[in-house]
Amino acid sequence: MPAQPSAITLVPRPTETVLRPGYFTLDDDTALNIGAGTEPAAELLRTLLAPATGLALPPSPSGQLKLAVDSGLGGSLGDEGYVLTIAPYAVLLRAAHLTGLLRGIQTIRQLLPPQALSETPQGDTPWLLPCSEITDLPRHPWRGAMLDVARHFQPVSYLRRYVDVLALHKINVFHLHLTDDQGWRMPVAARPKLTEIGGHRAESQTGPAGSGTYDGVPHGGAYTRAELAGLVRYAAARGVTVMPEIEMPGHVRAALAAYPSLGNHPERTLDVWTRWGVCDTVLGVHDEVLDFCRTVLEEVMDVFPSPYIHLGGEECPTAEWTHSVAARERAVAEGLPNAEALHGWFLGQIGDFLVRRGRRPVGWAETGAELPLDFTVMTWRDPSHTLTAARRGHPVINAYHRATYLDYVQSDDPHEPPAQPGTVVDLRAVHAHDPVPEDADAEAAGRVLGTQTQLWTEFVTTPAHIEYLTYPRLCALADRGWSGETDWADFRARLGEHTARLDALGIHRHP
């Protein structure tokens, strides 16, 4: 029996932890006492532990490890909180909702020896849980991670692995960026050319936007409807919601390459963009375009049950509308002051379409004040924009780029791989990021849902590179999002132990 640990080193840090003497041992005799409504949690526990431990964990009314849903805990624990009690001869995991049990199962994984996270059998390792009482619930309801698969496609098998590691860190939103100027990855039955043409580009720019050099290598890929629906189910079983992003009315060059009639110059033939940066080709504002967007989003809503649907909305040059007779006529017909105002009008039309179907539109905000009021806002450019949006009445996700953009380098070491030009976003910058502005009053603070990481993939082509940029920085965001403010030295000490878990998972992390 190993020496009793002096502390429990979990990431994110639980709300309250009391460490007690002794251990509970999971072995071949351990069974699960599966309470009503806890069956999915029991199945997840078996699925996650079986590869390394080989334990069957069969059901039994007298099982030593009990899972229980207790609705009476809802007032104190909410949807995601849980209470985990570990004694030498019994374990009890309780929550008000199934989601809370799923969070508690990830805590059980972290409490076991790191080898428990391995995908291969680990021999005679004793599977010990330190005796303790843990009460845990999140500081913020939104703790997300965005992955851009439009610029560089990743297979759905990797997206499942990505979800697995998000769930381990109690990240609850996987923001999947599916379309952009450089690629369209979402299948739409009524518009097959979106993936047949829009899913492939001739080559990719190397270096930053404007470099003028290209790799000469074709790039492409798209998901099937079945793959995406399977990913949604896989994530939901782990307590993760997949939120799709379909960019509009800018960042749409791939769609215009597939269907030129959607643009402001229907006679023009475009390629799928091979460059980085902001493309000046945008959707038109004629009725065919609005019908197209609704058709696409109908299919998106069929595949993704997420209450939130991201419409992009940012970096939309308006020059094509200004020079288009049809767009100017649309602006006059809608009573708008100028063609530039078509941006807010367009998003209002599509946002209202989602709202009438029970969904919540999400958009990137460049100022915090430009999106329709029924949008949930993601602020990224400046910390003040979060406060601006919250004071307008928007729910806000604070995604400030100098604390959450993982495509920036994480150190000034000259040997770091190519990255987005800009500031260094190191581990401490991510950990220090408080989603709630310090000068927010209680009402505005209450509208800040949380935060998330972003990984744009202009320079990121492989899963190994994704993981190098993501970990351990995502660990810091997970800690801040779930636990609130934690001491830097305390976080570093816990992370020092946590890296053994990442290594057991085979994560290609930054050192």
Side-chain angles (χ1 to χ4, degrees), residues 241-244 304-309 359-360:
T241 298
V242 183
M243 178 183 68
F304 296 94
S306 165
Y308 295 91
I309 305 292
R359 305 298 182 97
R360 304 173 193 171

Side-chain angles (χ1 to χ4, degrees), residues 14 39 47-48 79 112 166 175 234 244 339 379 417 462 465 468 497:
E39 294 84 358
T47 298
L48 293 174
D79 291 347
L112 287 166
L166 296 185
H175 175 175
Y234 187 89
T379 55
T462 66
H465 195 179
Y468 178 87
E497 299 289 330

Side-chain angles (χ1 to χ4, degrees), residues 46-128:
R46 291 193 191 101
T47 298
L48 293 174
L49 296 188
T53 70
L55 298 177
L57 301 177
S60 171
S62 59
Q64 307 94 317
L65 200 163
K66 182 176 182 179
L67 306 175
V69 171
D70 180 353
S71 59
L73 296 171
S76 58
L77 295 180
D79 291 347
E80 294 187 90
Y82 63 92
V83 178
L84 176 61
T85 305
I86 303 171
Y89 301 104
V91 175
L92 174 60
L93 175 60
R94 296 179 295 148
H97 299 275
L98 173 63
T99 304
L101 294 180
L102 301 180
R103 303 287 178 254
I105 282 168
Q106 299 297 342
T107 296
I108 290 174
R109 291 181 78 199
Q110 289 199 27
L111 288 171
L112 287 166
Q115 298 94 311
L117 279 71
S118 174
E119 296 180 358
T120 58
Q122 295 299 299
D124 296 328
T125 304
W127 303 115
L128 305 177

Side-chain angles (χ1 to χ4, degrees), residues 11 13 33 64 75 77 84 89 159 180 191 251 284 295 313 323 357 366 400 419:
V11 176
R13 187 182 70 182
N33 183 341
Q64 307 94 317
L77 295 180
L84 176 61
Y89 301 104
L159 299 187
D180 216 297
R191 295 281 189 162
H251 285 283
T295 297
H323 296 110
R357 281 153 181 78
E366 296 186 69
Y400 179 45

Side-chain angles (χ1 to χ4, degrees), residues 286-305:
H286 43 294
D287 289 343
E288 179 194 353
V289 174
L290 298 177
D291 289 342
F292 164 80
C293 292
R294 296 182 188 114
T295 297
V296 168
L297 290 173
E298 287 282 11
E299 186 117 0
V300 168
M301 288 187 285
D302 279 347
V303 174
F304 296 94

